Amino acid sequence: MLSEKLTKALSDQVNAEYYSAYLYLSMSAIADKFGLKGVSNWLFVQAQEEMAHGTNIYNYILERGASPSFSAIESPLDSFSDVNDIFEKVLSHEQQVTKSINSIATLAMQESDHACYQFMMWYVDEQVEEESSVTDVLDKLSLIGDNKGLLLTLDNELAARVFVNPFPAKIN
Ligand code: OFO
């Protein structure tokens, strides 16, 4: 059975993952308005991943015999100056998420809840990958500068991203 503290921390993380999905949907809509359909697609797929992350934690709380709590999901930012601004905000958001994932892993360790610690390790690895993939996009944007042709090439590259459910056995 999960402790009350871990149940609350995991419930808050479900909320945070759904907030991330909301934020990326908001960004996806703005990118669409900018005429960058590939960026919009990349962010939409990111939102789908965040929902899967949140649902997986929700399922884990139930699997451990605890009851999740639900609080309101904050409204996402909805104003971004350009595509650089969007990805800079994605990176700083993911850095915050990494902190909260690490603090849950630390709590699980302090409570000697090895199962929960092990569960959180997937998220720890995922955050490394997320921060790295966003940093790659930011590096490319910095090389592209004001070259609109190269920006469209990057947009085409990001259009190829497809959603792959990271937890196919658990979520339908
Ligand atoms: Fe769920 O990884 Fe981003 O926030």
Side-chain angles (χ1 to χ4, degrees):
M1 178 78 161
L2 280 172
S3 71
E4 254 180 54
K5 242 176 152 181
L6 269 174
T7 303
K8 171 80 172 72
L10 288 168
S11 296
D12 288 348
Q13 192 59 36
V14 173
N15 184 290
E17 300 289 343
Y18 274 86
Y19 172 77
S20 297
Y22 238 36
L23 176 64
Y24 296 143
L25 282 181
S26 166
M27 290 173 167
S28 176
I30 302 274
D32 184 83
K33 275 214 173 125
F34 290 164
L36 296 168
K37 297 273 184 202
V39 173
S40 176
N41 169 69
W42 192 95
L43 290 159
F44 185 80
V45 171
Q46 189 66 25
Q48 289 176 296
E49 281 201 0
E50 300 301 355
M51 285 188 268
H53 295 168
T55 307
N56 189 54
I57 298 172
Y58 161 83
N59 280 331
Y60 182 72
I61 297 170
L62 294 183
E63 200 181 326
R64 293 289 308 273
S67 302
S69 55
F70 298 93
S71 47
I73 297 170
E74 204 186 313
S75 297
L77 296 175
D78 61 358
S79 146
F80 307 95
S81 51
D82 56 23
V83 66
N84 280 284
D85 186 33
I86 289 178
F87 280 100
E88 273 159 17
K89 289 193 166 102
V90 172
L91 182 59
S92 87
H93 177 69
E94 287 303 330
Q95 288 165 339
Q96 287 309 312
V97 173
T98 298
K99 281 187 190 158
S100 71
I101 293 289
N102 285 343
S103 73
I104 300 171
T106 302
L107 179 60
M109 208 192 303
Q110 285 163 348
E111 293 190 3
S112 299
D113 189 330
H114 299 171
C116 185
Y117 180 76
Q118 182 68 26
F119 174 77
M120 291 311 296
M121 285 306 102
W122 184 92
Y123 286 85
V124 169
D125 289 343
E126 174 69 7
Q127 285 310 118
V128 172
E129 195 188 309
E130 295 219 342
E131 287 191 29
S132 160
S133 69
V134 179
T135 302
D136 282 352
V137 175
L138 278 167
D139 288 346
K140 285 180 184 166
L141 284 169
S142 143
L143 287 171
I144 287 168
D146 290 333
N147 188 322
K148 291 209 162 48
L150 289 179
L151 178 59
L152 287 178
T153 303
L154 176 64
D155 192 55
N156 278 336
E157 189 187 307
L158 299 182
R161 186 179 186 190
V162 289
F163 173 62
V164 178
N165 186 345
F167 316 104
K170 294 185 176 173
I171 301 169
N172 297 316

